[in-house]
């Protein structure tokens, strides 16, 4: 049996006892779809862009009176083309001029006044700073626009917005006292905001610093927005800033900048597409001045992955932007810019709903049900993903098959983003290309990216080994279980599965019956596409592992994954290999932390690989932690726990460096009092400064020697698979992979001067047996 405890994204938790509907996209009434050509794994092929929002959904967005869904961020162009106003319907907008600042111009003769305008729209409040000339420019634009619109033919329902005159600004009255002018400007703006014709005009929106992203509750407070000039380059990514050429060759581009409580982004106003997202992290800095930006009125914004330089229109605007960005980072984003335990990217989350899983039966069932409950987003990252794996067993139809679940949710408007490890094909047979092509062929709302490119990123011996499923950024599953063949198991650890034992397991009673063939015969009753072989009639199925899911990778590794329902070993002669593993689910802020990690990796991959730069693959936005406790659903059996998300990432995988998992392991070993239990798929440690770097084995030796010197009882239990999970006949020496893993495992345990046993023998001779034992799980 194979299992693991350490993960690329891990939760450190100590539990304590205690106890919007989906958006659809029907074929009728949908805006015109666009077909684009994008490169997928080197081949140019046509793909549909995101299905546009239909007319009913656009009306619902325009009629929203309380809040807007996050899905708006994926349809900015549709909203712009359909003239959906960014404001909440029926919610008043009020303004007050709260402050004035007087300063001289560059000539030092003329004195100007800068007005601070405080605006409120429902629960959103924000401040803009404008000079009197900005009010004049707005007034001229509104007058021109009204005159132009009056010349166009209009229907009866279009005449209403033009009724009423635009209030007078008294632009020529410069003798008015500052206090009375301040009051007059306040009345002027409030009068304009009561007129829908003026309120929704794009120059008014720019004056108010408002965009379609302004009033999405899940993105947090309104924040800071505005039009800026952005300098190209600045990425701190290997290969994207070759020889620092962006220090000399760059261009300035007009962008709309949005700063929220834990991130900032910029987008192209004319395209309606988010171009880049910069997350706040401990390296986040904001600096102003020519020495940092090499430009006049520049602001330098940087985190671990990028140095972004923007250009403002004046010195005061640059200072204002710098001050507001730093304020938002310190107030709403302080959890992400401050250091935390184990140097992790997020703090400990108290009182978090969480649940542990041992083995895949309960985990798969809960993941499948959570996917069904998704309303907005589904994030999945796996080392290996099998699209045809069943989430609830025994399968009596294809309703609980992973690819069919994702297809249903995508058809309902849910955005599905899948990030897969791209293997070295000569070394591994997991065929991530097949998984990607299969999922992306189901629906345009399913996006799949693979990472890394081993040659261009100079990554050969490293892998993304994390397993993560995030639902609506509110519920997140993580652990050691891929949604793949061979991972589903229960406490029985069955060695055979012929379908004759009548076994029933969790979730079987809830499955709908198999679907009948469609009238045109285009699909089998199991949902397999025409031309592909599917399983037999599943209505009376009793098998738990169908096709490739019945496996014994010691006897034979997986082959022909594009024929998922065919057995590749004889289940009447060869026993299956059981699989033991652990996982967990968390809710609320801890789930938002895991979503933030996925978003960081997804956006990094989109930037790093040129094939993913097309807007078909969207930039993802993290939800604000201010709404994290508003859970759409809860996983049954969850209890309150103290949780912290830990991870292992490097520049090649996420654009940043963190080893909080390793630090947590070492800290746990150092502070353990009585014993340690380690159950792992691999056990390779004892740093020698050459081929092995991690110090888990060194920490174990140090802790045992301390117990020995203090003459206190202490024990370390290490449980490993009897053989590594690679194909090979051990009677003939095994394959190269088996031999390599066994070499480093024995080297860690008992062979060589650097091994645990050898180092303990130096201090305690044969008494080391009283402190540590190594056990192997016997498998056939």
């Amino acid at each position: 049996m194979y299992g693991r405890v350490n993960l690329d994204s891990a939760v450190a938790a100590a539990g304590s006892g205690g106890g919007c509907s989906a958006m659809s996209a029907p074929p009728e009434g949908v805006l015109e779809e666009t077909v684009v050509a994008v490169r997928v794994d080197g081949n140019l092929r046509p793909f549909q862009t995101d299905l546009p929002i239909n007319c009913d959904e656009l009306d619902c967005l325009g009629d929203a009176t309380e809040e807007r869904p996050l899905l708006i961020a994926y349809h900015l162009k549709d909203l712009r083309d359909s003239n959906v106003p960014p404001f909440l319907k029926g919610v008043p907008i009020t303004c007050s001029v709260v402050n004035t600042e007087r300063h001289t111009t560059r000539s030092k003769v003329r004195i100007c006044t800068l007005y601070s305008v405080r605006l409120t729209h429902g629960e959103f409040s924000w401040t803009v700073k404008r000079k009197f000339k900005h009010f004049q420019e707005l007034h001229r634009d509104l007058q021109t626009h009204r005159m132009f619109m009056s010349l166009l033919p209009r229907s009866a329902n279009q005449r209403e917005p033009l009724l009423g005159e635009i209030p007078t600004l008294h632009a020529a009255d410069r003798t008015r006292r500052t206090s009375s002018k301040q009051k007059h400007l306040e009345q002027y703006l409030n009068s304009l905001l009561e007129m829908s014709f003026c309120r929704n005009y794009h120059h008014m929106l720019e004056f108010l610093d408002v965009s379609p992203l302004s009033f999405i509750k899940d993105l947090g407070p309104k924040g800071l927005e505005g039009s800026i000039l952005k300098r190209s380059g600045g990425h701190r990514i290997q290969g994207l800033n070759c020889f620092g050429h962006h220090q000399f060759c760059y261009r300035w581009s007009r962008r709309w900048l949005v700063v929220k409580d834990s991130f900032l982004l910029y987008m192209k106003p004319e395209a309606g597409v988010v171009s880049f997202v910069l997350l706040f992290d401990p390296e986040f800095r904001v600096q102003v001045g020519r020495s940092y930006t090499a430009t006049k009125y520049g602001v330098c914004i940087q985190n671990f992955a990028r140095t972004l330089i923007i250009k403002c229109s004046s010195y005061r605007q640059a200072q204002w932007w710098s001050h507001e960005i730093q304020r938002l980072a310190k107030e709403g984003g302080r959890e992400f810019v401050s250091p935390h335990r184990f140097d992790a990217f997020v703090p400990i989350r108290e009182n978090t709903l969480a649940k542990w899983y041992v083995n895949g039966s309960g985990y798969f069932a809960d993941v499948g049900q959570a996917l069904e409950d998704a309303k907005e987003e589904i994030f999945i990252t796996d080392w290996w993903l099998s699209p045809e794996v069943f989430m609830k067993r025994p399968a009596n139809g294809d309703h609980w098959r992973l690819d069919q679940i994702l297809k249903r949710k995508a058809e309902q408007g849910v955005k599905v983003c899948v990030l897969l490890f791209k293997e070295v094909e000569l070394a591994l047979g997991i065929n991530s290309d097949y998984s990607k092509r299969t999922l992306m062929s189901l629906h345009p709302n399913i996006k799949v990216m693979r990472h890394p490119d081993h040659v261009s990123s100079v990554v050969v011996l490293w892998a993304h080994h994390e397993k993560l499923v995030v639902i609506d950024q509110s519920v997140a599953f993580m652990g050691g279980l891929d949604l793949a063949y061979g991972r589903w198991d229960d406490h029985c650890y069955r060695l055979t599965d012929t379908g004759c034992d009548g076994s029933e397991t969790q979730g079987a009673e809830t499955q709908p019956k198999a679907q009948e063939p469609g009238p045109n015969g285009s699909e089998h009753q199991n949902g397999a596409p025409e031309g592909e072989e599917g399983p037999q009639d599943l209505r009376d199925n009793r098998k738990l592992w169908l096709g490739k899911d019945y496996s014994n990778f010691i006897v034979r590794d997986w082959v022909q994954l594009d024929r998922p329902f065919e057995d590749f070993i004889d289940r009447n002669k060869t026993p299956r290999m059981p699989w033991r593993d652990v996982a967990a689910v968390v809710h609320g802020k801890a789930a938002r932390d895991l979503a933030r990690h996925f978003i960081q990796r997804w956006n990094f991959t989109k930037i790093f690989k040129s094939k993913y730069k097309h807007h078909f693959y969207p930039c993802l936005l993290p939800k604000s932690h201010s709404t994290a406790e508003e859970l759409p659903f809860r996983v049954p059996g969850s209890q309150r726990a103290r949780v912290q998300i830990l991870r292992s990432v490097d520049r090649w995988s996420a654009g940043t460096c963190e080893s909080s998992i390793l630090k947590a392991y070492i800290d746990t070993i150092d502070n353990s009092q009585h014993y340690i239990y380690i159950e792992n798929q691999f056990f390779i440690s004892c740093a020698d400064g050459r081929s092995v770097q991690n110090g888990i084995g060194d920490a174990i030796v140090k802790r045992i020697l301390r117990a020995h010197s203090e003459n206190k009882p202490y024990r370390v239990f290490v449980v490993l698979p009897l053989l590594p999970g690679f194909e090979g006949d051990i009677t003939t020496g095994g394959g190269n992979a088996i031999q390599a893993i066994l070499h480093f495992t024995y080297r860690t345990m008992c062979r060589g001067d650097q091994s645990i046993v050898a180092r303990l023998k130096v201090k305690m001779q044969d008494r080391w047996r009283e402190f540590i034992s190594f056990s192997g799980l016997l498998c056939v």
Side-chain angles (χ1 to χ4, degrees), residues 113-344:
T113 302
L114 189 66
Y115 299 91
S116 295
V117 182
R118 186 68 175 172
L119 296 119
T120 302
H121 181 51
E123 61 184 55
F124 299 93
S125 297
W126 71 104
T127 300
V128 299
K129 294 198 173 187
R130 297 291 182 262
K131 297 178 182 178
F132 185 71
K133 71 173 184 178
H134 297 137
F135 286 86
Q136 292 176 306
E137 292 170 355
L138 174 64
H139 187 77
R140 285 195 298 267
D141 289 335
L142 288 172
Q143 291 282 19
T144 303
H145 182 59
R146 187 180 188 279
M147 183 180 302
F148 177 76
M149 294 297 294
S150 65
L151 300 177
L152 298 178
R154 303 183 305 277
S155 59
N157 61 350
Q158 291 177 316
R159 294 181 181 274
E160 183 64 24
L162 296 182
L163 295 178
E165 294 293 332
I166 295 177
T168 304
L169 183 60
H170 295 293
D173 187 7
R174 298 191 179 277
T175 61
R176 187 188 297 267
R177 292 191 305 173
T178 302
S179 58
S180 63
K181 182 182 288 188
Q182 177 178 334
K183 187 66 175 178
H184 176 74
L185 292 176
E186 181 178 310
Q187 295 173 350
Y188 171 77
L189 273 182
N190 281 315
S191 299
L192 292 179
L193 292 174
E194 292 176 358
M195 304 169 60
S196 60
F197 165 76
C198 298
R199 181 174 62 245
N200 298 321
Y201 183 45
H202 67 90
H203 283 297
M204 172 64 86
L205 298 179
E206 292 180 7
F207 181 88
L208 301 176
D209 288 346
V210 169
S211 73
L213 298 178
S214 297
F215 308 116
I216 299 177
K217 184 179 179 181
D218 278 332
L219 292 182
K222 164 69 169 61
L224 181 67
E225 299 184 49
S227 180
I228 50 91
L229 287 173
K230 182 269 307 182
R231 196 169 86 174
S232 61
H235 296 279
R236 301 178 181 179
I237 301 174
Q238 183 179 0
L240 291 189
N241 243 351
C242 183
F243 304 110
H245 71 279
H246 280 301
Q247 299 295 324
F248 310 100
C249 303
Y250 56 83
R251 67 182 183 276
W252 294 96
S253 305
R254 178 69 61 179
R255 296 291 183 266
W256 185 265
L257 187 69
V258 179
V259 185
K260 293 293 185 177
D261 58 359
S262 68
F263 70 96
L264 62 84
L265 64 87
Y266 60 77
M267 56 185 176
K268 301 177 181 178
E270 67 282 358
V273 176
V274 176
S275 303
F276 180 77
V277 179
L278 187 145
L279 302 179
F280 296 170
D281 62 22
E283 296 293 323
F284 184 77
R285 301 286 185 276
V286 182
Q287 297 166 311
V288 182
R290 187 181 292 272
S291 59
Y292 301 106
T293 63
T295 186
K296 193 174 184 180
Y297 308 144
V299 179
C300 176
I301 309 168
Q302 63 182 21
N303 67 353
F304 202 98
R306 185 176 184 183
T307 298
L308 175 65
I309 296 178
I310 62 175
K311 183 189 295 185
C312 300
S313 59
S314 66
Y315 170 80
R316 285 185 170 270
Q317 186 187 28
Q319 292 293 332
W320 164 250
W321 276 79
S322 172
H323 175 269
E324 286 299 294
I325 294 173
Q326 293 184 72
R327 181 186 63 82
L328 289 168
K330 290 179 180 179
E331 293 179 0
R334 61 183 179 275
E335 294 179 339
F336 306 108
V337 299
S338 304
H340 303 292
R341 184 179 67 160
F342 308 132
D343 294 329

Side-chain angles (χ1 to χ4, degrees), residues 429-662:
I430 59 178
N431 200 347
S432 61
D433 177 64
Y434 167 76
S435 300
K436 176 179 179 178
R437 287 186 286 106
T438 300
L439 291 176
M440 292 190 66
S441 67
L442 298 176
H443 196 275
N445 278 341
I446 300 179
K447 325 287 187 181
V448 184
M449 297 197 297
R450 298 192 301 159
H451 187 263
D453 285 335
H454 296 276
V455 176
S456 61
S457 59
V458 199
V459 175
V460 179
L461 300 178
W462 306 99
H464 293 302
H465 216 237
E466 62 191 33
K467 298 91 172 129
L468 180 65
V469 179
V470 183
I471 311 297
D472 294 338
Q473 300 192 41
S474 297
V475 179
F477 297 81
M478 52 76 56
L481 288 159
D482 289 298
L483 303 181
Y485 298 137
R487 270 56 174 175
W488 190 98
D489 216 324
D490 57 19
H491 65 281
C492 296
Y493 303 115
R494 296 171 179 83
L495 302 181
T496 62
D497 183 32
T498 59
C500 300
D501 57 358
S503 301
E504 296 292 334
T505 58
Q506 178 180 358
E509 69 278 1
T510 64
Q511 301 186 69
K513 294 298 182 180
Q515 299 175 359
E516 296 296 335
N520 57 2
S522 60
E523 291 198 359
H524 298 282
Q525 59 192 15
N526 52 57
E530 184 179 11
E532 295 184 12
E533 184 172 351
Q536 298 176 351
D537 191 342
L538 297 178
R539 282 174 289 188
D540 299 319
N541 171 62
R542 293 182 179 274
K543 293 179 181 178
L544 299 175
W545 296 272
L546 297 173
K548 297 294 189 298
D549 213 3
Y550 186 92
S551 60
N552 188 323
F553 35 81
I554 299 294
V555 176
R556 189 184 185 190
D557 204 355
W558 280 275
V559 294
Q560 294 183 323
L561 293 176
D562 57 343
R563 304 181 69 84
F565 306 111
E566 291 183 0
D567 286 359
F568 71 109
I569 58 175
D570 189 346
R571 65 177 66 216
N572 294 313
K573 297 180 180 180
T574 305
R576 65 173 292 271
M577 180 66 72
W579 191 281
R580 174 182 169 88
D581 226 319
V582 298
V585 61
V586 294
H587 303 67
K589 290 185 177 181
R592 293 276 164 97
D593 293 339
L594 284 168
R596 188 179 184 88
H597 166 73
F598 178 90
I599 289 170
Q600 185 176 23
R601 281 196 55 205
W602 175 275
N603 291 343
F604 170 81
T605 303
K606 174 178 171 61
I607 294 172
F608 185 81
K609 299 184 68 172
S610 58
K611 70 175 69 174
Y612 299 138
K613 290 182 179 180
H614 192 276
H615 61 77
F616 177 79
Y617 297 93
C619 286
L620 302 180
L621 307 180
K623 289 186 176 181
S624 173
H625 280 56
S626 62
T627 61
E629 301 307 320
E630 301 174 7
L631 300 177
F633 64 92
R634 297 183 179 184
V635 175
S638 299
Q639 296 181 345
R640 297 291 175 178
R642 189 168 181 257
V643 176
Q644 184 181 18
I645 304 301
L646 309 175
R647 62 180 182 172
S648 294
V649 294
D650 204 350
R651 286 189 179 274
W652 68 268
S653 62
T656 187
C657 296
E658 184 177 319
S659 56
S660 53
I661 294 178
L662 176 63

Side-chain angles (χ1 to χ4, degrees), residues 6-62:
N6 68 310
L7 312 165
D8 289 327
S9 281
V11 172
S16 59
C20 180
S21 63
M23 301 173 66
S24 60
E28 296 183 2
V30 178
L31 301 177
E32 183 180 358
E33 300 177 3
T34 305
V35 177
V36 297
V38 295
R39 289 191 177 275
V40 178
D41 298 338
N43 299 319
L44 191 65
R45 61 183 66 177
F47 269 101
Q48 281 185 323
T49 60
D50 288 335
L51 291 180
I53 302 179
N54 61 42
C55 297
D56 292 338
E57 292 166 341
L58 285 172
D59 291 339
C60 291
L61 291 177

